């Protein structure tokens, strides 16, 4: 089970797409690069052995395939799964909700998610997460 409660009701979340993409984010020690394993127009889930505390505000650089430059976003950690405290299907990491995102960036992310959803339809079974 998650170390920290999820603050939003699952039906309130934007549809998520299981897809791995590189993401860099600010932490106490500077910028860290990890993998986001799912993405929606409202946020992403980052695989990491060292999740940041809930409510931490982070600066994100998300590299969308086909884009010439990473998209810079601001996010807030909403939920964490600590290493060793996760269930079989939950990888260690943190959920990050995008905050203060302008309409252009949110639209670009939404279009990317929808394009991938069309190109790679998701099965009902969850995909294996990167370890």
């Amino acid at each position: 089970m998650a170390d920290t409660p999820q603050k939003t009701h699952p039906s309130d979340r934007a549809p998520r797409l299981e897809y791995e993409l590189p993401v860099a984010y600010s932490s106490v020690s500077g910028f860290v690069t990890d993998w986001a394993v799912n993405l929606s127009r409202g946020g992403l889930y980052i695989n990491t052995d060292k999740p940041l505390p809930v409510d931490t505000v982070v600066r994100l650089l998300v590299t969308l395939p086909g884009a010439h430059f990473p998209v810079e976003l601001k996010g807030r950690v909403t939920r964490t799964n600590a290493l060793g405290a996760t269930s079989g299907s939950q990888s260690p990491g943190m959920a990050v909700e995008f905050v203060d995102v302008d309409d252009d960036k949110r639209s670009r992310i939404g279009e990317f998610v929808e394009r991938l959803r069309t190109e790679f339809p998701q099965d009902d079974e969850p995909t294996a997460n990167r370890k």
Side-chain angles (χ1 to χ4, degrees):
M1 181 165 246
D3 285 349
T4 55
Q6 186 173 337
K7 293 185 179 184
T8 58
H9 189 273
S11 64
D12 296 339
R13 295 187 323 178
R16 299 200 172 285
L17 175 72
E18 298 286 330
Y19 188 81
E20 292 184 352
L21 66 152
V23 61
Y25 57 92
S26 56
S27 74
V28 180
S29 60
F31 262 86
V32 177
T33 302
D34 277 312
W35 289 92
V37 295
N38 76 39
L39 175 71
S40 75
R41 63 184 208 89
L44 48 79
Y45 186 85
I46 300 171
N47 268 10
T48 179
D49 292 343
K50 298 177 184 173
L52 300 171
V54 170
D55 289 330
T56 300
V57 175
V58 295
R59 186 173 144 220
L60 301 159
L61 294 173
V62 179
T63 304
L64 299 176
H68 296 292
F69 300 100
V71 177
E72 185 174 337
L73 302 161
K74 183 177 172 185
R76 182 180 61 82
V77 177
T78 59
R79 178 176 50 87
T80 64
N81 291 319
L83 182 63
T86 59
S87 69
S89 65
Q90 291 279 324
S91 61
M94 59 187 171
V96 179
E97 174 186 34
F98 301 141
V99 295
D100 299 331
V101 177
D102 65 47
D103 290 340
D104 178 58
K105 287 180 183 174
R106 192 172 304 272
S107 175
R108 286 174 35 201
I109 293 167
E111 288 169 9
F112 172 74
V113 169
E114 288 308 312
R115 186 180 77 220
L116 285 178
R117 192 179 306 282
T118 301
E119 291 176 12
F120 304 106
Q122 299 289 296
D123 294 333
D124 289 338
E125 297 295 316
T127 59
N129 289 329
R130 177 181 295 268
K131 300 253 177 184

